[in-house]
Each structure stands twice: as structure tokens, then as C-alpha cells.
Amino acid sequence: MAKDKKKAPKRNAAENPKLKNKDYLEQLRTLHVELVKLQEWVKAKGIKLCIVFEGRDGAGKGGTIKALTERVSPRVFRVVALTAPTDREKSQMYVQRYLPYLPAAGEVVIFDRSWYNRAGVERVMGFCTKEQVASFMKTTPLVERAIVDSGVILLKYWLEVSEEEQTRRLEARIKDGRKIWKLTSMDLKSYSRWYDYSRARDDMFKATDTEHAPWLVANSNDKRRARLNIITDLLSRIPYKDVLREKVILPKRQKPGGYRDPDYPQRRVPEKF
């Protein structure tokens, strides 16, 4: 596990050209087949898998999670993206609100941001005290040790994006009506604090990068490559096998038995395309 504190490397267009969409989709399709195999193995063997995605705004967490989950069952692969804590939750032990979402046997839980909010946005934006941050750094490895000891496979991914690429992506959100909802007032405030976040990230790695729950850092300057790399890495860390299934044969349909199409007028959707 590398603890490199440098910026994510820029893509060298000559050595590592942009991945064509056709090639990306072809590779992704192959990985989706493997993810379905993993899903069936998780169900059959009662595996408990928890995946944490963290990174700066615009690092590509949402797109990676979408690529990871778009061909599997939401009943097995559950995505957890919690809103701001309520007053009651603020009075609880910090990690307490996340514990009910941990996976049971036969489940994969994906956290789109997690308890590491305290080490990142809450610290940088002043939503918690220095003492609370210090306590979090001290106790989190112990909590994660307990999670792992309970039989949960815990994978923590940090998506690393460069300053220039983050700026490009956030500016694209401003201009694109499909993405403007992704740009919150908190994102704008956070954007100006690049080095505060860098310090927070470095301290987080130092305190919580452990043998039982290491941080796995992915260069996300190229979104397509990042998605493929992360999914490939994830699959490599779970010793899954094919689950034998009976050959699927469609049964014969029943005979009409006197059924006729109804003659009442239907409210049809206009066919404009």
C-alpha cells in the first residue's frame, strides 16, 4: 500500500492515450460478467462485503459506483449515501449512525462517502473540533478491526484527482444542466481549500491505513481507466468462484384459453421518437 502524498499523475497522452468509449464498454462488459459471478458467490457463501469510496469533490466516486452496480442486483449490492446527521444522531457516538448499514451475510454494501466524513469535510469545514478529529483518528482503526473480525471484508478506496482535472470537472457541472445538481454550495466552499484537504487526507492515511483495513489509492484523472482499474482490483481481492446453476430453459407459454385483447381505449404514451 503506497503512502504517496504527491498529486495524482497527469495522463500522458502519448504513452497512455484516452481510452476509446468502445474499448471501455467492451472491458466493462467483461467485468460486469465477473461482478455477477461475484454476486452469486456472495449470496451462496454468505459473504459480507463492505466497500468505502472516498475522495475529493469531482474525483469520480459516483461514476465508479454506477459502473460497479449497474448490472447487479440492488438487493445484493446496496449503495449507502447518508444525508447530514440529525440532532439525535449528532448526540450519538460518531460511527454509530453508520453501523446499521454494514452488510449482513450475502450482501455487498457500498458507502458513497462514509464515517471518513469526519476526517475530511467535517474537519476542513469546521463542523467538528480538533479534539473530535483526534478521537476519530485514534478509534477508527479499532472500530474497523472489530468490523473485520466480525467477518466483514472491508475495502477502502481513495480516488485521487489532480487540481487541474478537478477544476475542469466542476466547471463542466456548471455548464451542463444534467450535472448542475451535483454542484452544491458546500462543493464551492470546499473547492478553495485544496491544501486543507490535502493535509486532512495525509493525516487520515497516516492514522487509518492499517494492515487489516488499508487504503487503496486509484488515480482517477481518467475516469474510464479508474473505473476499470478499481473494479478489476476489487474482483482480485475476493476469492470467488462460479456458482453452478441449472441450465435455464424457457417454459412453453399457456394457450389463450379464450382470451381476447380488450376493446376499451388505452391511454397511450405519445410516440414522438
Side-chain angles (χ1 to χ4, degrees):
M1 165 62 196
K3 296 186 178 181
D4 187 4
K5 298 181 181 180
K6 297 179 181 179
K7 302 175 185 176
K10 296 181 180 179
R11 179 176 61 84
N12 186 315
E15 298 178 1
N16 199 15
K18 184 177 181 180
L19 190 64
K20 294 181 180 179
N21 192 52
K22 180 181 178 181
D23 295 334
Y24 165 69
L25 293 176
E26 183 178 343
Q27 294 291 335
L28 187 59
R29 184 183 187 282
T30 299
L31 292 175
H32 280 160
V33 172
E34 294 304 312
L35 284 169
V36 171
K37 293 180 183 179
L38 172 62
Q39 170 183 273
E40 298 308 299
W41 181 256
V42 165
K43 289 164 54 181
K45 298 299 181 179
I47 304 297
K48 297 182 287 185
L49 176 57
C50 180
I51 309 168
V52 170
F53 282 102
E54 294 288 344
R56 301 176 192 268
D57 297 321
K61 298 180 293 299
T64 301
I65 292 171
K66 181 179 179 181
L68 176 61
T69 59
E70 63 183 344
R71 294 295 181 179
V72 291
S73 171
R75 295 180 180 86
V76 179
F77 281 72
R78 296 191 291 109
V79 178
V80 177
L82 300 185
T83 57
T86 63
D87 288 340
R88 180 178 183 276
E89 288 171 333
K90 289 178 181 178
S91 71
Q92 297 174 339
M93 180 177 69
Y94 179 73
V95 76
Q96 185 174 341
R97 70 189 295 245
Y98 296 96
L99 297 180
Y101 297 95
L102 291 176
E107 293 181 344
V108 179
V109 171
I110 300 170
F111 281 95
D112 184 355
R113 293 198 182 278
S114 63
W115 46 92
Y116 282 100
N117 276 338
R118 172 133 297 178
V121 63
E122 291 190 14
R123 166 183 169 169
V124 173
M125 302 308 296
F127 296 153
C128 60
T129 65
K130 292 181 179 180
E131 291 75 19
Q132 287 174 319
V133 173
S135 176
F136 174 85
M137 298 296 197
K138 181 179 180 180
T139 60
T140 294
L142 302 177
V143 173
E144 291 178 348
R145 175 82 265 179
I147 291 173
V148 172
D149 286 348
S150 74
V152 174
I153 298 173
L154 177 60
L155 300 178
K156 303 186 306 190
Y157 287 98
W158 175 271
L159 278 64
E160 187 65 31
V161 66
S162 68
E163 290 182 75
E164 296 80 7
E165 182 62 16
Q166 185 197 46
T167 297
R168 190 192 69 77
R169 292 177 185 177
L170 296 184
E171 287 179 341
R173 292 181 183 181
I174 297 174
K175 301 173 183 177
D176 192 334
R178 301 167 300 173
K179 300 178 180 179
I180 190 64
W181 64 272
K182 294 183 177 182
L183 194 61
T184 67
S185 58
M186 186 60 61
D187 294 335
L188 297 175
K189 293 178 182 177
S190 299
Y191 174 77
S192 64
R193 303 186 182 185
W194 176 270
Y195 291 104
D196 286 342
Y197 272 100
S198 295
R199 295 184 185 94
R201 176 204 58 196
D202 295 347
D203 290 345
M204 180 187 75
F205 282 175
K206 184 177 180 180
T208 64
D209 178 26
T210 60
E211 288 298 322
H212 59 271
W215 277 106
L216 307 168
V217 181
N219 172 18
S220 67
N221 277 346
D222 185 322
K223 288 183 178 181
R224 292 173 182 170
R225 294 184 188 277
R227 294 166 190 170
L228 298 179
N229 288 334
I230 289 171
I231 296 174
T232 300
D233 182 82
L234 187 159
L235 290 167
S236 74
R237 295 177 184 276
I238 314 297
Y240 68 96
K241 299 179 181 179
D242 284 347
V243 176
L244 295 179
R245 304 182 65 177
E246 293 183 6
K247 186 177 180 179
V248 178
I249 300 176
L250 290 177
K252 292 182 179 180
R253 282 201 172 122
Q254 64 181 166
K255 295 181 179 180
Y259 174 82
R260 295 182 180 180
D261 288 334
D263 58 3
Y264 58 80
Q266 297 176 331
R267 302 177 189 273
R268 307 285 294 186
V269 175
E271 297 183 359
K272 297 182 177 181
F273 301 95

